[in-house]
Amino acid sequence: MEFFIDTAITDEIREINEWGVLAGVTTNPSLIVASGRDFREVVQEIAALVGGAISAEVTALDAEGMVKEGREVAQWSEHVVVKLPLTPAGLKACKVLTGEGIRTNVTLCFSVPQALLAARAGATYISPFAGRVDDIGWDGTELIRQIKEAYVLGGIDTKVLAASIRHPMHVVQAALAGADVATIPYKVFTQMIKHPLTQAGLDGFMKDWAKRAGASPETPASEAGTNPTGGGVTEQGGSKQ
């Protein structure tokens, strides 16, 4: 499963991208407004930072307006994926833009029938909102699983992009449900990387390293495997794997 980050804050994107895990970015009008920046400017900066697939959402509500806006947005960068709402107008625009070779992400999906319609309109990605489905007492993970199953059985190439991810377990559940992509907020990325046993293990290793013969706690880790006095690090008293 690929990871996208769901934000328009370039500092957040830059930080997570440096981990080497990002395949793309998703934005929406609310995220663009939150960034406080010009739409085109921020999308082009994101594209330069990450590459991959950068979802940029249209704001027109009619099919003609969506197509016009989608064509313009697609010219901003080769990495842009035009994001469209799952409405009749959005499906019409998806069909036209797909026919012109423009990649699309149909968003605000909350049911399997909606996902099937978007796929037949040519969507590159479908974005089921797992968290929002959970919010109304349904099962967002099951929705992702059912969409993926329907696509596999139907020989459909549209990628399932799990959206509205609220916590690390949503990421796990999306992966196990067969999602092709999960778009994850910055906060959830920072939660995913942390585990108390990881930090405890690292602290133990560094404590043991500082005890080696002839070394002080200030000796840099880059000197691992060397010893100023010629001695070696013994296994006795060392941290277990």
Side-chain angles (χ1 to χ4, degrees):
M1 184 174 73
E2 291 183 326
F3 291 155
F4 291 1
I5 187 169
D6 192 35
T7 183
I9 306 298
T10 53
D11 285 346
E12 294 179 348
I13 295 167
R14 185 177 292 104
E15 178 182 341
I16 302 304
N17 190 51
E18 287 175 353
W19 295 3
V21 301
L22 288 185
V25 179
T26 55
T27 69
N28 60 45
S30 297
L31 293 174
I32 294 295
V33 170
S35 75
R37 298 180 58 192
D38 175 75
F39 186 21
R40 177 171 182 167
E41 178 185 83
V42 72
V43 167
Q44 289 180 322
E45 182 174 343
I46 291 169
L49 277 173
V50 179
I54 314 301
S55 286
E57 188 166 347
V58 300
T59 54
L61 297 178
D62 63 293
E64 183 178 351
M66 290 180 189
V67 170
K68 180 180 179 181
E69 200 174 330
R71 288 169 176 159
E72 178 184 353
V73 170
Q75 292 177 357
W76 294 350
S77 168
E78 62 179 337
H79 301 296
V80 165
V81 176
V82 177
K83 201 171 181 183
L84 303 160
L86 216 165
T87 62
L91 293 181
K92 291 178 185 178
C94 180
K95 188 69 173 180
V96 172
L97 293 171
T98 298
E100 296 177 0
I102 296 172
R103 292 181 296 169
T104 56
N105 175 1
V106 178
T107 189
L108 293 171
C109 176
F110 296 96
S111 74
V112 177
Q114 286 183 319
L116 290 171
L117 289 169
R120 291 311 179 194
T124 310
Y125 298 92
I126 184 69
S127 292
F129 277 39
R132 293 196 192 185
V133 171
D134 287 351
D135 289 345
I136 61 172
W138 295 355
D139 190 337
T141 300
E142 180 63 13
L143 172 61
I144 293 169
R145 188 196 67 75
Q146 289 181 3
I147 292 173
K148 184 62 178 181
E149 182 178 355
Y151 281 4
V152 170
L153 290 173
I156 295 170
D157 294 329
T158 299
K159 293 185 177 182
V160 180
L161 195 165
S164 188
I165 298 293
R166 303 285 177 77
H167 46 70
M169 279 309 300
H170 263 159
V171 180
V172 175
Q173 291 161 356
L176 294 176
D180 300 289
V181 185
T183 186
I184 305 168
Y186 171 80
K187 178 181 178 181
V188 177
F189 269 113
T190 64
Q191 293 169 335
M192 289 170 64
I193 193 68
K194 294 178 182 177
H195 194 287
L197 294 181
T198 301
Q199 189 59 52
L202 180 60
D203 291 344
F205 290 155
M206 293 302 97
K207 183 178 180 181
D208 291 342
W209 181 246
K211 293 177 181 177
R212 73 196 192 285
S216 70
E218 290 75 28
T219 301
S222 59
E223 295 183 10
T226 66
N227 191 311
T229 63
V233 181
T234 65
E235 294 185 1
Q236 293 184 345
S239 294
K240 298 180 180 179
Q241 294 292 327

Short mmCIF file of all heavy atoms in Angstrom, two decimals, residues 171-218:
data_model
loop_
_atom_site.label_atom_id
_atom_site.label_comp_id
_atom_site.label_asym_id
_atom_site.label_seq_id
_atom_site.Cartn_x
_atom_site.Cartn_y
_atom_site.Cartn_z
N VAL A 171 -4.78 3.07 9.34
CA VAL A 171 -3.80 2.72 8.31
C VAL A 171 -3.66 1.21 8.22
O VAL A 171 -3.66 0.62 7.12
CB VAL A 171 -2.44 3.37 8.60
CG1 VAL A 171 -1.43 2.99 7.52
CG2 VAL A 171 -2.57 4.89 8.71
N VAL A 172 -3.54 0.56 9.36
CA VAL A 172 -3.44 -0.90 9.41
C VAL A 172 -4.68 -1.54 8.78
O VAL A 172 -4.59 -2.45 7.94
CB VAL A 172 -3.27 -1.39 10.86
CG1 VAL A 172 -3.29 -2.92 10.92
CG2 VAL A 172 -1.97 -0.86 11.46
N GLN A 173 -5.84 -1.05 9.19
CA GLN A 173 -7.09 -1.62 8.69
C GLN A 173 -7.23 -1.42 7.19
O GLN A 173 -7.70 -2.31 6.47
CB GLN A 173 -8.27 -0.98 9.44
CG GLN A 173 -8.35 -1.39 10.90
CD GLN A 173 -9.20 -0.44 11.75
OE1 GLN A 173 -9.67 0.59 11.27
NE2 GLN A 173 -9.38 -0.80 13.02
N ALA A 174 -6.83 -0.26 6.70
CA ALA A 174 -6.90 0.01 5.26
C ALA A 174 -5.99 -0.95 4.49
O ALA A 174 -6.37 -1.48 3.43
CB ALA A 174 -6.53 1.45 4.96
N ALA A 175 -4.80 -1.18 5.00
CA ALA A 175 -3.86 -2.09 4.35
C ALA A 175 -4.43 -3.51 4.30
O ALA A 175 -4.37 -4.18 3.27
CB ALA A 175 -2.52 -2.07 5.06
N LEU A 176 -4.98 -3.95 5.42
CA LEU A 176 -5.53 -5.31 5.48
C LEU A 176 -6.79 -5.45 4.65
O LEU A 176 -7.14 -6.56 4.23
CB LEU A 176 -5.81 -5.69 6.94
CG LEU A 176 -4.57 -5.81 7.84
CD1 LEU A 176 -4.98 -6.09 9.28
CD2 LEU A 176 -3.63 -6.90 7.33
N ALA A 177 -7.48 -4.34 4.41
CA ALA A 177 -8.69 -4.37 3.58
C ALA A 177 -8.37 -4.32 2.10
O ALA A 177 -9.27 -4.40 1.26
CB ALA A 177 -9.61 -3.20 3.95
N GLY A 178 -7.09 -4.15 1.76
CA GLY A 178 -6.67 -4.18 0.37
C GLY A 178 -6.55 -2.85 -0.32
O GLY A 178 -6.42 -2.80 -1.55
N ALA A 179 -6.58 -1.75 0.43
CA ALA A 179 -6.45 -0.43 -0.19
C ALA A 179 -5.12 -0.32 -0.93
O ALA A 179 -4.09 -0.83 -0.47
CB ALA A 179 -6.54 0.67 0.87
N ASP A 180 -5.15 0.34 -2.08
CA ASP A 180 -3.93 0.54 -2.84
C ASP A 180 -3.10 1.70 -2.28
O ASP A 180 -1.87 1.71 -2.39
CB ASP A 180 -4.28 0.85 -4.31
CG ASP A 180 -5.05 -0.28 -4.96
OD1 ASP A 180 -4.44 -1.33 -5.22
OD2 ASP A 180 -6.26 -0.11 -5.19
N VAL A 181 -3.80 2.66 -1.69
CA VAL A 181 -3.17 3.88 -1.18
C VAL A 181 -3.91 4.29 0.09
O VAL A 181 -5.12 4.08 0.21
CB VAL A 181 -3.26 5.04 -2.19
CG1 VAL A 181 -2.50 6.26 -1.69
CG2 VAL A 181 -2.78 4.63 -3.57
N ALA A 182 -3.19 4.87 1.03
CA ALA A 182 -3.82 5.56 2.17
C ALA A 182 -3.27 6.97 2.19
O ALA A 182 -2.06 7.17 2.10
CB ALA A 182 -3.51 4.86 3.48
N THR A 183 -4.17 7.95 2.28
CA THR A 183 -3.71 9.33 2.41
C THR A 183 -3.84 9.71 3.87
O THR A 183 -4.93 9.64 4.46
CB THR A 183 -4.46 10.29 1.47
OG1 THR A 183 -3.85 11.58 1.56
CG2 THR A 183 -5.94 10.38 1.74
N ILE A 184 -2.74 10.12 4.46
CA ILE A 184 -2.60 10.17 5.92
C ILE A 184 -2.24 11.57 6.38
O ILE A 184 -1.31 12.18 5.83
CB ILE A 184 -1.49 9.18 6.36
CG1 ILE A 184 -1.79 7.77 5.82
CG2 ILE A 184 -1.33 9.17 7.87
CD1 ILE A 184 -0.63 6.81 5.96
N PRO A 185 -2.93 12.11 7.39
CA PRO A 185 -2.56 13.42 7.91
C PRO A 185 -1.18 13.40 8.56
O PRO A 185 -0.71 12.36 9.02
CB PRO A 185 -3.65 13.70 8.96
CG PRO A 185 -4.78 12.79 8.61
CD PRO A 185 -4.14 11.56 8.03
N TYR A 186 -0.57 14.56 8.61
CA TYR A 186 0.76 14.70 9.23
C TYR A 186 0.77 14.13 10.65
O TYR A 186 1.68 13.38 11.02
CB TYR A 186 1.15 16.18 9.25
CG TYR A 186 2.39 16.48 10.04
CD1 TYR A 186 3.66 16.27 9.51
CD2 TYR A 186 2.29 16.99 11.35
CE1 TYR A 186 4.81 16.54 10.25
CE2 TYR A 186 3.43 17.27 12.09
CZ TYR A 186 4.69 17.04 11.54
OH TYR A 186 5.81 17.31 12.28
N LYS A 187 -0.24 14.47 11.45
CA LYS A 187 -0.28 14.02 12.84
C LYS A 187 -0.24 12.50 12.94
O LYS A 187 0.43 11.93 13.81
CB LYS A 187 -1.54 14.56 13.53
CG LYS A 187 -1.69 14.11 14.98
CD LYS A 187 -2.98 14.65 15.58
CE LYS A 187 -3.16 14.16 17.02
NZ LYS A 187 -4.42 14.68 17.62
N VAL A 188 -0.96 11.82 12.05
CA VAL A 188 -0.99 10.36 12.10
C VAL A 188 0.36 9.77 11.69
O VAL A 188 0.80 8.76 12.26
CB VAL A 188 -2.14 9.81 11.24
CG1 VAL A 188 -2.14 8.28 11.23
CG2 VAL A 188 -3.49 10.33 11.76
N PHE A 189 1.04 10.39 10.73
CA PHE A 189 2.39 9.93 10.39
C PHE A 189 3.30 9.98 11.62
O PHE A 189 4.06 9.04 11.88
CB PHE A 189 3.00 10.80 9.29
CG PHE A 189 2.75 10.31 7.90
CD1 PHE A 189 1.94 11.03 7.03
CD2 PHE A 189 3.32 9.13 7.43
CE1 PHE A 189 1.71 10.59 5.73
CE2 PHE A 189 3.10 8.68 6.13
CZ PHE A 189 2.28 9.42 5.29
N THR A 190 3.22 11.07 12.38
CA THR A 190 4.08 11.18 13.56
C THR A 190 3.71 10.18 14.64
O THR A 190 4.56 9.77 15.44
CB THR A 190 4.04 12.61 14.14
OG1 THR A 190 2.72 12.93 14.61
CG2 THR A 190 4.47 13.64 13.10
N GLN A 191 2.44 9.77 14.67
CA GLN A 191 2.02 8.73 15.61
C GLN A 191 2.49 7.36 15.15
O GLN A 191 2.87 6.51 15.96
CB GLN A 191 0.50 8.74 15.76
CG GLN A 191 -0.06 9.98 16.42
CD GLN A 191 -1.58 10.08 16.33
OE1 GLN A 191 -2.19 9.52 15.42
NE2 GLN A 191 -2.19 10.80 17.26
N MET A 192 2.48 7.12 13.84
CA MET A 192 2.87 5.82 13.30
C MET A 192 4.33 5.49 13.60
O MET A 192 4.68 4.32 13.80
CB MET A 192 2.65 5.81 11.78
CG MET A 192 1.20 5.77 11.35
SD MET A 192 1.03 6.05 9.55
CE MET A 192 1.88 4.61 8.88
N ILE A 193 5.19 6.48 13.58
CA ILE A 193 6.62 6.23 13.72
C ILE A 193 7.03 5.92 15.16
O ILE A 193 8.08 5.33 15.42
CB ILE A 193 7.44 7.44 13.19
CG1 ILE A 193 8.92 7.10 13.01
CG2 ILE A 193 7.29 8.65 14.10
CD1 ILE A 193 9.20 6.11 11.93
N LYS A 194 6.18 6.28 16.11
CA LYS A 194 6.56 6.17 17.52
C LYS A 194 6.10 4.86 18.15
O LYS A 194 5.01 4.37 17.87
CB LYS A 194 5.96 7.34 18.32
CG LYS A 194 6.52 8.70 17.94
CD LYS A 194 5.85 9.81 18.73
CE LYS A 194 6.38 11.18 18.33
NZ LYS A 194 5.68 12.26 19.06
N HIS A 195 6.97 4.30 18.98
CA HIS A 195 6.61 3.16 19.82
C HIS A 195 7.52 3.19 21.05
O HIS A 195 8.73 3.38 20.92
CB HIS A 195 6.78 1.83 19.08
CG HIS A 195 6.10 0.69 19.78
ND1 HIS A 195 6.61 0.13 20.93
CD2 HIS A 195 4.94 0.04 19.50
CE1 HIS A 195 5.80 -0.85 21.34
NE2 HIS A 195 4.78 -0.91 20.48
N PRO A 196 6.96 3.03 22.25
CA PRO A 196 7.79 3.12 23.46
C PRO A 196 8.93 2.11 23.50
O PRO A 196 10.00 2.40 24.04
CB PRO A 196 6.79 2.90 24.60
CG PRO A 196 5.60 2.24 23.97
CD PRO A 196 5.55 2.80 22.59
N LEU A 197 8.73 0.92 22.93
CA LEU A 197 9.80 -0.08 22.96
C LEU A 197 10.94 0.28 22.01
O LEU A 197 12.09 -0.08 22.26
CB LEU A 197 9.23 -1.45 22.60
CG LEU A 197 8.24 -2.04 23.62
CD1 LEU A 197 7.76 -3.42 23.16
CD2 LEU A 197 8.87 -2.13 25.01
N THR A 198 10.62 0.98 20.92
CA THR A 198 11.68 1.45 20.02
C THR A 198 12.59 2.42 20.75
O THR A 198 13.82 2.31 20.70
CB THR A 198 11.08 2.11 18.78
OG1 THR A 198 10.25 1.18 18.09
CG2 THR A 198 12.17 2.60 17.83
N GLN A 199 11.99 3.40 21.42
CA GLN A 199 12.79 4.39 22.14
C GLN A 199 13.55 3.76 23.30
O GLN A 199 14.73 4.07 23.54
CB GLN A 199 11.90 5.51 22.67
CG GLN A 199 12.68 6.70 23.24
CD GLN A 199 13.61 7.33 22.23
OE1 GLN A 199 13.18 7.67 21.13
NE2 GLN A 199 14.87 7.50 22.60
N ALA A 200 12.89 2.84 24.03
CA ALA A 200 13.56 2.18 25.15
C ALA A 200 14.74 1.35 24.66
O ALA A 200 15.81 1.34 25.29
CB ALA A 200 12.57 1.29 25.89
N GLY A 201 14.56 0.67 23.54
CA GLY A 201 15.66 -0.12 22.99
C GLY A 201 16.82 0.75 22.55
O GLY A 201 17.99 0.42 22.81
N LEU A 202 16.51 1.87 21.89
CA LEU A 202 17.56 2.78 21.44
C LEU A 202 18.31 3.36 22.64
O LEU A 202 19.54 3.45 22.64
CB LEU A 202 16.96 3.89 20.61
CG LEU A 202 17.93 4.94 20.06
CD1 LEU A 202 18.97 4.28 19.17
CD2 LEU A 202 17.18 6.01 19.29
N ASP A 203 17.56 3.75 23.67
CA ASP A 203 18.19 4.29 24.88
C ASP A 203 19.13 3.27 25.50
O ASP A 203 20.24 3.60 25.95
CB ASP A 203 17.12 4.70 25.90
CG ASP A 203 16.32 5.91 25.46
OD1 ASP A 203 16.77 6.62 24.53
OD2 ASP A 203 15.24 6.15 26.04
N GLY A 204 18.71 2.00 25.51
CA GLY A 204 19.55 0.94 26.08
C GLY A 204 20.82 0.73 25.28
O GLY A 204 21.91 0.59 25.83
N PHE A 205 20.68 0.71 23.95
CA PHE A 205 21.85 0.54 23.10
C PHE A 205 22.86 1.67 23.31
O PHE A 205 24.07 1.45 23.40
CB PHE A 205 21.44 0.51 21.63
CG PHE A 205 20.68 -0.73 21.22
CD1 PHE A 205 19.83 -0.69 20.13
CD2 PHE A 205 20.83 -1.93 21.90
CE1 PHE A 205 19.13 -1.82 19.73
CE2 PHE A 205 20.13 -3.07 21.52
CZ PHE A 205 19.28 -3.01 20.43
N MET A 206 22.37 2.90 23.37
CA MET A 206 23.26 4.05 23.53
C MET A 206 23.92 4.07 24.92
O MET A 206 25.08 4.47 25.07
CB MET A 206 22.48 5.35 23.29
CG MET A 206 21.99 5.54 21.85
SD MET A 206 23.34 5.54 20.62
CE MET A 206 23.28 3.81 20.03
N LYS A 207 23.16 3.62 25.92
CA LYS A 207 23.73 3.55 27.27
C LYS A 207 24.87 2.54 27.31
O LYS A 207 25.93 2.79 27.89
CB LYS A 207 22.64 3.16 28.26
CG LYS A 207 23.10 3.13 29.70
CD LYS A 207 21.94 2.79 30.64
CE LYS A 207 22.40 2.75 32.09
NZ LYS A 207 21.26 2.40 33.00
N ASP A 208 24.67 1.39 26.69
CA ASP A 208 25.71 0.37 26.65
C ASP A 208 26.91 0.84 25.84
O ASP A 208 28.06 0.59 26.19
CB ASP A 208 25.17 -0.92 26.05
CG ASP A 208 24.16 -1.61 26.96
OD1 ASP A 208 24.14 -1.29 28.16
OD2 ASP A 208 23.39 -2.45 26.46
N TRP A 209 26.62 1.54 24.73
CA TRP A 209 27.70 2.04 23.87
C TRP A 209 28.60 3.01 24.62
O TRP A 209 29.81 3.00 24.46
CB TRP A 209 27.10 2.71 22.64
CG TRP A 209 28.11 3.25 21.66
CD1 TRP A 209 28.33 4.54 21.35
CD2 TRP A 209 29.03 2.49 20.89
NE1 TRP A 209 29.32 4.65 20.42
CE2 TRP A 209 29.78 3.40 20.11
CE3 TRP A 209 29.31 1.12 20.77
CZ2 TRP A 209 30.78 2.99 19.24
CZ3 TRP A 209 30.31 0.71 19.89
CH2 TRP A 209 31.03 1.64 19.15
N ALA A 210 28.00 3.81 25.48
CA ALA A 210 28.76 4.80 26.24
C ALA A 210 29.67 4.14 27.28
O ALA A 210 30.61 4.77 27.76
CB ALA A 210 27.81 5.77 26.93
N LYS A 211 29.42 2.88 27.61
CA LYS A 211 30.21 2.18 28.64
C LYS A 211 31.43 1.46 28.08
O LYS A 211 32.23 0.92 28.85
CB LYS A 211 29.33 1.14 29.35
CG LYS A 211 28.19 1.72 30.16
CD LYS A 211 27.35 0.59 30.75
CE LYS A 211 26.19 1.14 31.56
NZ LYS A 211 25.32 0.06 32.08
N ARG A 212 31.59 1.44 26.74
CA ARG A 212 32.68 0.66 26.19
C ARG A 212 34.02 1.22 26.63
O ARG A 212 34.15 2.40 26.92
CB ARG A 212 32.57 0.59 24.66
CG ARG A 212 32.91 1.87 23.93
CD ARG A 212 32.41 1.80 22.50
NE ARG A 212 32.95 2.87 21.68
CZ ARG A 212 32.55 4.13 21.73
NH1 ARG A 212 31.62 4.49 22.59
NH2 ARG A 212 33.10 5.04 20.93
N ALA A 213 35.01 0.36 26.63
CA ALA A 213 36.33 0.71 27.16
C ALA A 213 36.93 1.91 26.45
O ALA A 213 36.96 1.97 25.22
CB ALA A 213 37.28 -0.48 27.01
N GLY A 214 37.34 2.88 27.22
CA GLY A 214 38.03 4.04 26.67
C GLY A 214 37.14 5.08 26.07
O GLY A 214 37.62 6.06 25.52
N ALA A 215 35.84 4.86 26.14
CA ALA A 215 34.92 5.81 25.51
C ALA A 215 34.19 6.61 26.57
O ALA A 215 34.04 6.20 27.71
CB ALA A 215 33.92 5.07 24.64
N SER A 216 33.76 7.79 26.18
CA SER A 216 32.94 8.62 27.06
C SER A 216 31.55 8.73 26.44
O SER A 216 31.36 8.45 25.26
CB SER A 216 33.56 10.01 27.19
OG SER A 216 33.42 10.71 25.96
N PRO A 217 30.56 9.13 27.23
CA PRO A 217 29.21 9.29 26.68
C PRO A 217 29.14 10.24 25.51
O PRO A 217 28.21 10.19 24.72
CB PRO A 217 28.41 9.83 27.87
CG PRO A 217 29.15 9.33 29.07
CD PRO A 217 30.60 9.40 28.67
N GLU A 218 30.16 11.12 25.39
CA GLU A 218 30.16 12.10 24.31
C GLU A 218 30.75 11.56 23.01
O GLU A 218 30.72 12.23 21.98
CB GLU A 218 30.93 13.36 24.72
CG GLU A 218 30.25 14.19 25.80
CD GLU A 218 30.35 13.56 27.17
OE1 GLU A 218 31.33 12.83 27.42
OE2 GLU A 218 29.45 13.79 27.99
#
